[in-house]
Amino acid sequence: MAEITVTEHLLLHQKQSPHATEQFTGLLYDLILSGKTIARRINKAGLLDLLGGTGEINVQGENVQKMDEIANRILTYRMERCGALCAMSSEENAELVRIKPEFPRGDYILIFDPLDGSSNIDVNINVGTLFSILHRPEGKRGEVSLEEVLQPGHNQAAAGYILYGPSTMFVFSTGQGVHGFTLDPGVGEFLLSHPNMRIPEQGKIYSVNEGYRKNWSAATCEAVDWFHNCETQDGTPYSSRYVGALVADFHRTLIYGGIFMYPADIKRPEGKLRLMCEAAPLAFLAEQAGGRASDGRGRIMERKPECLHSRTPLFIGSSNDVAAVEKIYAQHRHAQTDLIFTGAL
Ligand code: P6P
């Protein structure tokens, strides 16, 4: 396969991609540069005593890992200078970051989780950076208001992730399909390795943390039990896989198919995962790849965030597998048993 970089790929698709403007290409370039910088730091983390937490707690109430902070600093420094943004929101920052007047500004808004799954770093398991790119609403000028940022996922101009694993991958979509690029460390470029990625309409892997079962509703228990009992198209049972890093669990689902689930539970009635920087970008990719992404009731892409850090339940992957979950929740809603929380069955 010819060695095609992300920028070349964008320009090749210039006519279809309304976003292949100078500003947007510059945005992606600096996002990619940040990803390469973070990859290098992660690969050395174990050697530079960057493992472990800083002892601080972030806005999510989570223990901040050193690499979280470093990744957040790398992205914030680079992206506030890229000239394409008017505002940014990081999973690590409680408040919206408005681009300061001394920096060039543009019409895009970047929402990101600098290092998702960072607790896995200490045990050398995949972590990832997630990003979502929105347009500033037409006709808005002056200071960006929070309301301008709180947009539903179907407004996204682009979304994607960088997966730091055995190889570092950049997977994204601008609405013209999903394309995966693998970093060639020798060259220092992400090269097209997975053009036009598609999720199989049914998979054979389900992915959920069953340790929370005692806190699930009856509907959620039934939805997960569905995958304990259903069979793949070749008549074999589903396998269970759970990395504990959303980007890694999603990437496997994107390639192999199946379903990743993070349901609500009695302690987290809105779920754990963040709508704007985790569920919405992955929902954009899933739908672009022919899959589905739901909160159990309807499309993640339709949900309007109440705040920057709104959370949502997430069921994402093969269209048939996600549809099976939605059907079970609909039956329980109809029977008005969808909010009954059961103990361990
Ligand atoms: P649990 C990582 O902390 C994360 O936000 C996602 O990357 C991952 O899918 C999820 O939490 C894992 O959560 O409760 O199963 O450990």
Side-chain angles (χ1 to χ4, degrees), residues 246 250 259-264 270-271 273 278-280 282-283 292-296 300 312-316:
L246 175 61
F250 176 77
I259 186 168
F260 171 84
M261 299 177 269
Y262 205 109
E270 281 306 308
L273 299 178
E278 293 177 318
L282 295 182
R292 278 169 84 130
S294 172
D295 60 5
I300 289 286
T312 177
L314 178 63
F315 303 87
I316 189 167

Side-chain angles (χ1 to χ4, degrees), residues 191-204:
L191 302 176
L192 182 64
S193 53
H194 297 68
N196 204 23
M197 300 175 84
R198 303 295 290 169
I199 300 186
E201 64 174 9
Q202 182 173 350
K204 46 187 169 186

Side-chain angles (χ1 to χ4, degrees), residues 116-117 209 212 242 244-246 260 262 268 272-274 278:
D116 177 74
N209 185 340
Y212 297 129
Y242 196 75
L246 175 61
F260 171 84
Y262 205 109
R268 291 176 295 201
K272 171 185 183 183
L273 299 178
R274 271 70 64 167
E278 293 177 318

Side-chain angles (χ1 to χ4, degrees), residues 44-97:
K44 294 194 297 191
L47 304 172
L48 303 177
D49 184 35
L50 289 184
L51 301 181
T54 57
E56 281 148 49
I57 302 293
N58 69 9
V59 66
Q60 315 295 340
E62 291 166 346
N63 159 15
V64 178
Q65 301 287 331
K66 285 179 186 172
M67 272 311 300
D68 272 341
E69 225 170 72
I70 291 169
N72 196 37
R73 262 206 317 273
I74 289 168
L75 271 158
T76 303
Y77 178 88
R78 177 72 50 206
M79 300 317 290
E80 69 184 352
R81 289 161 173 76
C82 76
L85 303 178
C86 55
M88 295 188 282
S89 167
S90 165
E91 189 254 357
E92 291 295 324
N93 300 339
E95 306 303 327
L96 184 65
V97 174

